Amino acid sequence: MSALAATTFTVPPVEFGKLSPMLIAFGAATLGILVEALAPRAHRYRIQVGLALVGIAAAFGAVLALAKTGVEVVAQGSVAIDGTTLFLQGTILVIAFVGFLVIAERKTDQNQDAFAAQGASVPGSQAERDTTRKGWQTTEIYPLLMFSVGGMLLFPAANDLLTMFVALEVLSLPLYLVCGLARHRRLLSQEAALKYFLLGAFSSAFFLYGAAMLYGYAGSVNLAVIAQHVAHPDAGSTLLYAGLAMLGVGLLFKVGAAPFHMWTPDVYQGAPTPVTGFMAAATKIAAFGALVRVLDVGLGGSSAVAVWRPVLQAVAVITMLVGGILALTQRDIKRMLAYSAILNAGYLLIGVTSTTAQARAAVLFYLPVYGVAIIGAFAVVTLVRDAGGEATDLSRWAGLGKRAPIPAALLAVFLLAFAGIPFTSIFIGKFAIFQAALNAGAPALVIVAVLASALAAFFYLRVVVVMFFSDPLPDGPTIAHPSIAVKTALAVAAFATVALGIAPSLLLHLANNSAGILAK
C-alpha cells in the first residue's frame, strides 16, 4: 500500500494554444448544437450563420498567431504545427468562410433555399409540404459543417495515422449527412448521400487496414517512427508495401483520383449545390495536405519513394485522362465540374509525385486558387433556376450571357481559369506544377497534362459559347437575385482568380516559405 501510495501519476501537458484553430472550430460547432436545442426556431438561422462565420474568423486569427511560432510537434506527437500545416489551415478557413457565405443563402420566399425544410421528412409527403409552407429551415447544417471544418483542420496536421483516421471520419460524417438535404430533387440528393456514405466507409476501412499494417511493420502509427523504419528496410517490407497500398486507396478516394473517383460525379450532382462547392474545394485541400504529410514525413525514404512514386504517376495519368475525356460527354453543368475536379486532382498529383520543395510549393499555391474558383463556379450555378430548382442542363443555359450578363461573365472567368488561360490564377498554378515536374525529371507527365489541358479547354469553352453565342430560350431559366452574402462570395472569388493571375508573387512567396517548413 505504501509503495502504491508513493506512486505518482502525471498527465503530460496539452498545448491547447497550439491546437487553438481546431479547438475554436469544434467549440463553435458545439455551441451550434446548443443553439439547435435551446434557441427558438425563428432565431436559429441568424445565430447559426453568425456563430459559424465568427468561429471561422477566430480560427483564422489563431492560425495567424501561430505563424509567429516555430515548428513543433504537440499533443504527444500526434499533431504537427509547421509552415505547411498553417498554410493549409489558413487556406481551408478562407475557403470555408467564402463557402459559408454561399451556403447562407436562404430566401425561402423566392424559393432560393438550397436545403430541405426538414431533413427528416419523407420526400413528397404531407410533412414535407407542411414544413415548407411554414418556412422552416434546416439550420443544423451549420454546426455539422463546422465539425467538418474542424476535421479538415486536423487532417493535414495529423502526425500519426490514428489521429489522421479520426480527422478523416470527423470531416466526412457531417458531409455524408448534408449531401442528402437538398430542397429540390430530394431522392437524387438522398441517393448521392447514400453512395457517398457507402463508398466513403469502404475507403475508410482501407485506410484503417493500411494503418494497421504499417503499425505491424514499424510498431507505431507515428509518422516519424515509421520513417525511421522505412529508412532501414528489412525482411518485413511486405507489410510496408501492403500498408502503403491500402493507405493510398483511402487517401486517393478523398482527393477524387481515378480509379477511386466513381462517387464524385453522382455526389456533386445530387448534393445541395452550395455544399458541392464547399466539398470540391475544402475537402480536396485537406486531403492533399494529408497525402503530402504521409508521403513526405512517413514514407519519404528512398526505398519507399521508389515504390509509390511510379504508382502515383500512373494514377495521375489515369486521373487526367478520365477527368478530361468523360467531362466531354457531360450535359449537366454540375457533373462536368465534377469531372473537372477529377482532372485537377491529376494535375495536383503531378506536383505530389515530383518530391521536390519547388513542387510542394506549387501544390500549395494551386490548392487555394483552385478552391476559390470552384466555389465561385458553383455559386453561379445556384443562381440559374427553373421550376424544378437549379437548371443544370447545358441546353438551358443557351443565351444566358444576353439575359444575365453578370452571372454569365463571372462563370466565364472561372471556366477560363480552369482552362488555364493566361492572366488567371490557375494558369499560374499549372505553370508552377509543370515547371516543377520538368525540373524533377518527369517530362512525360507534363506532356500528358498539357494534352489534357487542351482537351479540357474544349468543354470549358463550349459552355462559354452556349452562354454568349446562342439565342436565349423563350422559356429559359430565371436568374435568382443573390443576397449580399452570395454577392460578396462571387466578388471575392472573381477578384482572387484575376488578381492572383496578374500578381501572384505574394501567394507564391508564402507557398515557397511554407513548403520548406515540414515537421519530421
Side-chain angles (χ1 to χ4, degrees), residues 200-217:
F202 278 117
S203 72
S204 296
F206 274 104
F207 184 97
L208 200 56
Y209 272 113
M213 289 186 177
L214 289 175
Y215 177 81
Y217 170 75

mmCIF file of all heavy atoms in Angstrom, residues 200-217:
data_model
loop_
_atom_site.group_PDB
_atom_site.id
_atom_site.type_symbol
_atom_site.label_atom_id
_atom_site.label_comp_id
_atom_site.label_asym_id
_atom_site.label_seq_id
_atom_site.Cartn_x
_atom_site.Cartn_y
_atom_site.Cartn_z
ATOM 1 N N GLY A 200 -17.493 5.915 -48.992
ATOM 2 C CA GLY A 200 -16.604 6.516 -48.009
ATOM 3 C C GLY A 200 -16.266 5.561 -46.886
ATOM 4 O O GLY A 200 -15.133 5.545 -46.380
ATOM 5 N N ALA A 201 -17.240 4.719 -46.484
ATOM 6 C CA ALA A 201 -16.978 3.720 -45.447
ATOM 7 C C ALA A 201 -15.953 2.704 -45.925
ATOM 8 O O ALA A 201 -15.053 2.293 -45.170
ATOM 9 C CB ALA A 201 -18.278 3.026 -45.047
ATOM 10 N N PHE A 202 -16.081 2.280 -47.187
ATOM 11 C CA PHE A 202 -15.096 1.342 -47.738
ATOM 12 C C PHE A 202 -13.703 1.970 -47.756
ATOM 13 O O PHE A 202 -12.704 1.319 -47.398
ATOM 14 C CB PHE A 202 -15.492 0.927 -49.159
ATOM 15 C CG PHE A 202 -16.509 -0.174 -49.202
ATOM 16 C CD1 PHE A 202 -17.758 0.042 -49.755
ATOM 17 C CD2 PHE A 202 -16.223 -1.435 -48.693
ATOM 18 C CE1 PHE A 202 -18.709 -0.971 -49.790
ATOM 19 C CE2 PHE A 202 -17.160 -2.455 -48.730
ATOM 20 C CZ PHE A 202 -18.410 -2.223 -49.277
ATOM 21 N N SER A 203 -13.617 3.227 -48.190
ATOM 22 C CA SER A 203 -12.305 3.873 -48.260
ATOM 23 C C SER A 203 -11.709 4.046 -46.864
ATOM 24 O O SER A 203 -10.493 3.898 -46.678
ATOM 25 C CB SER A 203 -12.414 5.227 -48.964
ATOM 26 O OG SER A 203 -13.063 6.176 -48.145
ATOM 27 N N SER A 204 -12.545 4.352 -45.878
ATOM 28 C CA SER A 204 -12.057 4.468 -44.508
ATOM 29 C C SER A 204 -11.534 3.131 -43.989
ATOM 30 O O SER A 204 -10.528 3.079 -43.268
ATOM 31 C CB SER A 204 -13.171 4.980 -43.588
ATOM 32 O OG SER A 204 -13.558 6.288 -43.946
ATOM 33 N N ALA A 205 -12.216 2.054 -44.374
ATOM 34 C CA ALA A 205 -11.752 0.717 -43.973
ATOM 35 C C ALA A 205 -10.388 0.418 -44.584
ATOM 36 O O ALA A 205 -9.498 -0.132 -43.916
ATOM 37 C CB ALA A 205 -12.768 -0.334 -44.388
ATOM 38 N N PHE A 206 -10.206 0.773 -45.854
ATOM 39 C CA PHE A 206 -8.895 0.586 -46.479
ATOM 40 C C PHE A 206 -7.828 1.381 -45.747
ATOM 41 O O PHE A 206 -6.718 0.885 -45.498
ATOM 42 C CB PHE A 206 -8.955 1.015 -47.956
ATOM 43 C CG PHE A 206 -9.421 -0.060 -48.888
ATOM 44 C CD1 PHE A 206 -10.705 -0.037 -49.411
ATOM 45 C CD2 PHE A 206 -8.584 -1.110 -49.247
ATOM 46 C CE1 PHE A 206 -11.147 -1.025 -50.269
ATOM 47 C CE2 PHE A 206 -9.019 -2.108 -50.111
ATOM 48 C CZ PHE A 206 -10.305 -2.068 -50.620
ATOM 49 N N PHE A 207 -8.146 2.630 -45.411
ATOM 50 C CA PHE A 207 -7.183 3.460 -44.692
ATOM 51 C C PHE A 207 -6.804 2.819 -43.368
ATOM 52 O O PHE A 207 -5.620 2.751 -43.007
ATOM 53 C CB PHE A 207 -7.784 4.849 -44.464
ATOM 54 C CG PHE A 207 -6.852 5.824 -43.806
ATOM 55 C CD1 PHE A 207 -6.121 6.725 -44.565
ATOM 56 C CD2 PHE A 207 -6.691 5.865 -42.427
ATOM 57 C CE1 PHE A 207 -5.254 7.626 -43.964
ATOM 58 C CE2 PHE A 207 -5.832 6.751 -41.820
ATOM 59 C CZ PHE A 207 -5.114 7.629 -42.586
ATOM 60 N N LEU A 208 -7.800 2.318 -42.644
ATOM 61 C CA LEU A 208 -7.542 1.749 -41.326
ATOM 62 C C LEU A 208 -6.739 0.455 -41.425
ATOM 63 O O LEU A 208 -5.828 0.207 -40.620
ATOM 64 C CB LEU A 208 -8.865 1.510 -40.603
ATOM 65 C CG LEU A 208 -8.794 1.361 -39.076
ATOM 66 C CD1 LEU A 208 -8.119 2.561 -38.450
ATOM 67 C CD2 LEU A 208 -10.196 1.188 -38.498
ATOM 68 N N TYR A 209 -7.058 -0.378 -42.420
ATOM 69 C CA TYR A 209 -6.272 -1.600 -42.615
ATOM 70 C C TYR A 209 -4.829 -1.251 -42.986
ATOM 71 O O TYR A 209 -3.877 -1.914 -42.528
ATOM 72 C CB TYR A 209 -6.902 -2.466 -43.702
ATOM 73 C CG TYR A 209 -7.947 -3.427 -43.189
ATOM 74 C CD1 TYR A 209 -9.279 -3.292 -43.537
ATOM 75 C CD2 TYR A 209 -7.598 -4.489 -42.350
ATOM 76 C CE1 TYR A 209 -10.249 -4.161 -43.062
ATOM 77 C CE2 TYR A 209 -8.551 -5.364 -41.873
ATOM 78 C CZ TYR A 209 -9.868 -5.199 -42.231
ATOM 79 O OH TYR A 209 -10.813 -6.065 -41.756
ATOM 80 N N GLY A 210 -4.663 -0.223 -43.818
ATOM 81 C CA GLY A 210 -3.314 0.198 -44.155
ATOM 82 C C GLY A 210 -2.547 0.681 -42.947
ATOM 83 O O GLY A 210 -1.366 0.353 -42.764
ATOM 84 N N ALA A 211 -3.215 1.452 -42.075
ATOM 85 C CA ALA A 211 -2.568 1.915 -40.847
ATOM 86 C C ALA A 211 -2.192 0.746 -39.954
ATOM 87 O O ALA A 211 -1.114 0.737 -39.329
ATOM 88 C CB ALA A 211 -3.500 2.875 -40.101
ATOM 89 N N ALA A 212 -3.062 -0.278 -39.886
ATOM 90 C CA ALA A 212 -2.765 -1.454 -39.070
ATOM 91 C C ALA A 212 -1.538 -2.191 -39.602
ATOM 92 O O ALA A 212 -0.685 -2.663 -38.830
ATOM 93 C CB ALA A 212 -3.973 -2.385 -39.039
ATOM 94 N N MET A 213 -1.416 -2.297 -40.912
ATOM 95 C CA MET A 213 -0.255 -2.979 -41.497
ATOM 96 C C MET A 213 1.027 -2.188 -41.268
ATOM 97 O O MET A 213 2.089 -2.776 -40.985
ATOM 98 C CB MET A 213 -0.485 -3.206 -42.984
ATOM 99 C CG MET A 213 -1.541 -4.260 -43.273
ATOM 100 S SD MET A 213 -1.684 -4.630 -45.028
ATOM 101 C CE MET A 213 -2.928 -5.945 -44.972
ATOM 102 N N LEU A 214 0.940 -0.881 -41.377
ATOM 103 C CA LEU A 214 2.130 -0.078 -41.105
ATOM 104 C C LEU A 214 2.504 -0.142 -39.629
ATOM 105 O O LEU A 214 3.699 -0.096 -39.280
ATOM 106 C CB LEU A 214 1.892 1.370 -41.533
ATOM 107 C CG LEU A 214 1.831 1.605 -43.046
ATOM 108 C CD1 LEU A 214 1.463 3.049 -43.361
ATOM 109 C CD2 LEU A 214 3.163 1.253 -43.700
ATOM 110 N N TYR A 215 1.516 -0.271 -38.756
ATOM 111 C CA TYR A 215 1.808 -0.482 -37.337
ATOM 112 C C TYR A 215 2.511 -1.830 -37.141
ATOM 113 O O TYR A 215 3.477 -1.930 -36.362
ATOM 114 C CB TYR A 215 0.520 -0.443 -36.517
ATOM 115 C CG TYR A 215 0.735 -0.731 -35.053
ATOM 116 C CD1 TYR A 215 1.188 0.258 -34.193
ATOM 117 C CD2 TYR A 215 0.509 -2.005 -34.545
ATOM 118 C CE1 TYR A 215 1.405 -0.010 -32.850
ATOM 119 C CE2 TYR A 215 0.716 -2.274 -33.205
ATOM 120 C CZ TYR A 215 1.164 -1.281 -32.355
ATOM 121 O OH TYR A 215 1.388 -1.553 -31.029
ATOM 122 N N GLY A 216 2.045 -2.842 -37.853
ATOM 123 C CA GLY A 216 2.709 -4.139 -37.764
ATOM 124 C C GLY A 216 4.131 -4.092 -38.271
ATOM 125 O O GLY A 216 5.011 -4.805 -37.771
ATOM 126 N N TYR A 217 4.381 -3.231 -39.233
ATOM 127 C CA TYR A 217 5.740 -3.110 -39.791
ATOM 128 C C TYR A 217 6.661 -2.313 -38.871
ATOM 129 O O TYR A 217 7.795 -2.725 -38.603
ATOM 130 C CB TYR A 217 5.658 -2.430 -41.158
ATOM 131 C CG TYR A 217 6.995 -2.034 -41.729
ATOM 132 C CD1 TYR A 217 7.852 -2.989 -42.265
ATOM 133 C CD2 TYR A 217 7.408 -0.706 -41.727
ATOM 134 C CE1 TYR A 217 9.089 -2.628 -42.790
ATOM 135 C CE2 TYR A 217 8.637 -0.335 -42.243
ATOM 136 C CZ TYR A 217 9.474 -1.300 -42.768
ATOM 137 O OH TYR A 217 10.689 -0.946 -43.278
#
